Amino acid sequence: MKETLDEFLATLGPAAEPVRATLGRLEREQFGRRLWARDPAIFRPDAAHERVIRNRLGWLGIVEPMRREAEALRAFAAEVRGAGLTHALLLGMGGSSLAPEVLRLTFGVAPGGLDLRVLDSTDPAAVASVARALPLDRTLVLVSTKSGTTTETLAFYAYFRERLEALVGGRAGQHCVAITDPGTPLERLAREAGFRRTFLNPPDIGGRYSALSYFGLVPAALLGLDLPALLDRAAAMAAACGPDLPSADNPGLRLGVALGELARTGRDKVTFFLSPGLAPFAAWVEQLLAESTGKEGKGVVPVADEAPGPPAVYGGDRVFVVLALEKEADTADAAAAPLAAAGHPVLRLHLADLTELAGEFFRWEVATAVVGALLGIDPFDEPNVQESKDNTSRLLDLYVKEGRLPDESPTWRGNGLEVYGGDGGRDLAGLLAAHCRALQRGHYLALMAYLAPTASHTRALQGLRHRLRDRLHVATTLGYGPRFLHSTGQLHKGGPRTGCFLQFTADDPADQPIPGRPYSFGVLKRAQAAGDLGALRAKGLPALRVHLTGDVAAALARLAAAIEEAPLAPVRDP
């Protein structure tokens, strides 16, 4: 049943009336019509931004062209299966990798589909693990990058191309597919290297808004998913968010206005409670919100995969979003009920079945654009992402010239752990406590792990974040590097100056070479971690690096013990 505006506002508390008023204003200003007319002035009325924005609104009209392509994509998947390929490996970062990962983890592999795996980590162990796990002679490699120049993606391609050539010789190109924009270096490379197919995406779609384009739908077709059904749901949501609908009845506008108005009152930590069947969606929407809105000292902080806690551990900076399948909704709603009773705003979005996830891609794209407009920022650029990239390039140039990366002396060392930054002269528990004293009400603590993204590491890191959340009463985020550099990394550097950062690095027991490059994956990852840390510190943000030596699991356990010993207390006002 369609939710009325009053029902939608009923769970927003004091924000209900500002949301109603803003929806009325957007209706008077014809925001919906102007959005679909691709009027850049609704975001940033200045010439420089307007040029960029005009070239980033293609996602609004992508559903119908992709519906016309559905049969061709199905036929391509059948061609690949007919060639004896049984697996697929997508090489990408950020917008090119997250939607395919969501689809694989949510829907699985349909009968007759290719078993798809996504690689978006430069950790040598992660790269080697994928190489070991896949039968490369029966694997289709998707090289996916909008720009065609993404450093990590091209390094992955060089690594797996060399292995393909060792296995299948001159047929290696027939195992490769490119997904990119027209005219990119990757398009040229694919032509010269004999790729089986190149899919050229509309160039007016930014990476994080590309889930319903070739970047998401080519992998979906290979998985054997029902593209017509998915695109029907996306089309239904696009129609519901269309230019002729009143703002109060437009699900994308309503959601965006709610998040934008709540953010303007200080409730900028958008905390997701997802039912189990939809849990993978969190990583995609995290990137969309963080990279789109975190700039010019503004933005919302998406909090994904933080387990529900008691009301006492949450501050007045939270808004909770329950996204649940109807058959799983009772559990998700029950987790949020005590928080609603405690006065926190809660938004509930229920999906009848998994195919409605395609509509959520579109709803959240519209909502994110609206949040950007309300905050007065351009939701389609990423001005601070380049800072870490430039730092990484500088460090790699130094490595090529001198054969090493710069050394940094630890502030503290002991028991398999090294700390870089902060004040010296105390034990680890004291160092951690001193670092966390930078946190105040409304701040967040970001855990940034330049480690192999394994299930065991994730469990240990999640344990750390929840213990820190429960003792400090602040929002926490967790991301693996360099993956998060293409999502929350923009928010960290360009968003509100409310982040406090803990970076984790570790020794690499075994490295992996990058063919054709004068450095390895291990060196690339270390340069990315150092470049990221340098960008944060250059902005005066509190950033501490903890290096884990030897066995990572044992080092994380010792770190957890130090957190237990640390004199941590709930944050206060400045």
Side-chain angles (χ1 to χ4, degrees):
M1 188 190 317
K2 186 177 179 181
E3 185 180 49
T4 68
L5 178 60
D6 286 340
E7 290 169 333
F8 177 78
L9 297 175
T11 59
L12 297 185
E17 288 313 306
V19 170
R20 188 190 299 273
T22 298
L23 284 167
R25 175 173 64 81
L26 294 187
E27 181 67 20
R28 293 190 298 274
E29 295 174 357
Q30 297 189 314
F31 183 94
R33 288 182 182 273
R34 293 169 67 193
L35 174 65
W36 282 87
R38 306 191 186 190
D39 178 0
I42 61 177
F43 300 105
R44 287 291 294 270
D46 64 77
H49 280 279
E50 286 187 5
R51 284 194 297 272
V52 173
I53 293 167
R54 281 195 184 94
N55 195 40
R56 287 294 182 270
L57 290 167
W59 54 272
L60 284 163
I62 195 59
V63 176
E64 289 307 317
M66 287 296 102
R67 289 175 101 174
R68 294 192 292 271
E69 289 294 307
E71 175 57 28
L73 291 175
R74 186 205 63 77
F76 173 68
E79 170 197 317
V80 169
R81 292 194 301 272
L85 301 181
T86 58
H87 290 69
L89 170 62
L90 187 138
L91 311 175
M93 299 296 295
S96 64
S97 64
L98 287 170
E101 182 178 72
V102 169
L103 294 170
R104 171 63 177 86
L105 295 176
T106 301
F107 293 94
V109 183
L114 272 63
D115 191 350
L116 175 74
R117 184 153 180 171
V118 174
L119 176 62
D120 61 359
S121 172
T122 55
D123 183 271
V127 175
S129 174
V130 170
R132 288 193 302 269
L134 290 173
L136 286 180
D137 59 337
R138 292 184 283 115
T139 296
L140 184 71
V141 176
L142 286 75
V143 188
S144 186
T145 159
K146 173 181 171 63
S147 68
T149 61
T150 305
T151 297
E152 299 95 331
T153 305
L154 296 181
F156 298 149
Y157 167 68
Y159 181 88
F160 285 97
R161 178 71 185 224
E162 181 178 80
R163 279 152 182 74
L164 279 170
E165 289 177 349
L167 286 170
V168 301
R171 294 185 291 110
Q174 290 300 294
H175 286 254
C176 297
V177 168
I179 309 174
T180 189
D181 280 7
T184 68
L186 177 57
E187 183 190 6
R188 293 192 295 275
L189 171 65
R191 183 170 56 250
E192 294 165 0
F195 279 28
R196 174 181 288 271
R197 186 74 61 86
T198 296
F199 292 92
L200 297 178
N201 214 55
D204 58 353
I205 301 177
R208 57 189 177 275
Y209 290 82
S210 66
L212 296 171
S213 71
Y214 282 133
F215 283 101
L217 296 182
V218 172
L222 294 171
L223 284 165
L225 305 188
D226 186 343
L227 294 191
L230 290 171
L231 288 165
D232 283 350
R233 297 304 178 95
M237 181 60 74
C241 296
D244 299 322
L245 272 292
S247 296
D249 296 332
N250 183 316
L253 261 64
R254 288 203 310 203
L255 177 59
V257 169
L259 296 177
E261 287 297 333
L262 285 160
R264 294 204 291 195
T265 65
R267 288 191 178 269
D268 61 348
K269 310 304 186 301
V270 183
T271 306
F272 290 91
F273 287 174
L274 275 64
S275 68
L278 298 174
F281 185 72
W284 179 85
V285 76
E286 176 187 50
Q287 184 212 12
L288 181 69
L289 281 171
E291 195 169 31
S292 298
T293 72
K295 59 199 72 171
E296 300 180 30
K298 304 174 184 177
V300 299
V301 179
V303 181
D305 301 318
E306 191 185 65
V313 304
Y314 298 112
D317 57 345
R318 300 274 194 155
V319 53
F320 296 90
V321 177
V322 175
L323 184 63
L325 292 169
E326 286 184 355
K327 64 182 181 180
E328 300 173 342
D330 288 348
T331 300
D333 287 340
L339 306 174
H344 292 287
V346 177
L347 294 163
R348 292 182 174 88
L349 306 175
H350 291 175
L351 279 60
D353 56 53
L354 282 178
T355 59
E356 288 196 345
L357 192 66
E360 289 307 301
F361 285 133
F362 196 88
R363 186 213 302 254
W364 281 93
E365 287 169 353
V366 172
T368 300
V370 172
V371 173
L374 294 181
L375 296 181
I377 53 95
D378 177 352
F380 307 109
D381 69 353
E382 46 284 325
N384 301 101
V385 168
Q386 193 62 38
E387 296 173 21
S388 292
K389 291 182 180 179
D390 290 344
N391 284 351
T392 298
S393 295
R394 176 178 52 81
L395 291 168
L396 290 174
D397 288 344
L398 180 67
Y399 178 85
V400 171
K401 181 180 179 180
E402 300 184 3
R404 63 177 183 84
L405 292 173
D407 293 326
E408 183 183 10
S409 298
T411 307
W412 179 91
R413 177 188 285 127
N415 202 19
L417 297 166
E418 298 172 354
V419 177
Y420 296 83
D423 297 325
R426 54 167 64 90
D427 61 12
L428 179 57
L431 272 168
L432 293 170
H435 183 63
C436 290
R437 279 197 284 274
L439 290 160
Q440 301 168 7
R441 290 190 196 276
H443 286 197
Y444 68 97
L445 179 63
L447 279 64
M448 309 178 303
Y450 284 84
L451 309 173
T454 66
S456 61
H457 290 168
T458 299
R459 283 192 299 272
L461 291 164
Q462 285 284 74
L464 295 181
R465 80 179 288 195
H466 290 128
R467 188 57 181 147
L468 288 163
R469 188 270 315 265
D470 292 349
R471 295 188 65 188
L472 295 166
H473 297 184
V474 295
T476 62
T477 66
L478 170 62
Y480 281 103
R483 166 184 171 135
F484 73 81
L485 294 179
H486 298 260
S487 58
T488 54
Q490 167 62 43
L491 171 77
H492 292 167
K493 302 167 190 73
R497 294 178 62 84
T498 54
C500 181
F501 303 94
L502 275 174
Q503 185 189 83
F504 303 103
T505 59
D507 299 327
D508 294 316
D511 207 345
Q512 296 294 321
I514 304 175
R517 305 284 177 90
Y519 50 82
S520 64
F521 277 109
V523 170
L524 174 57
K525 183 187 71 167
R526 292 199 299 276
Q528 289 174 311
D532 185 28
L533 195 67
L536 293 170
R537 289 175 174 171
K539 293 184 175 298
L541 296 167
L544 195 71
R545 177 165 79 99
V546 179
H547 186 73
L548 315 172
T549 64
D551 182 79
V552 172
L556 286 171
R558 291 192 292 271
L559 183 60
I563 289 172
E564 286 296 322
E565 297 171 6
L568 303 175
V571 297
R572 300 179 180 180
D573 292 325

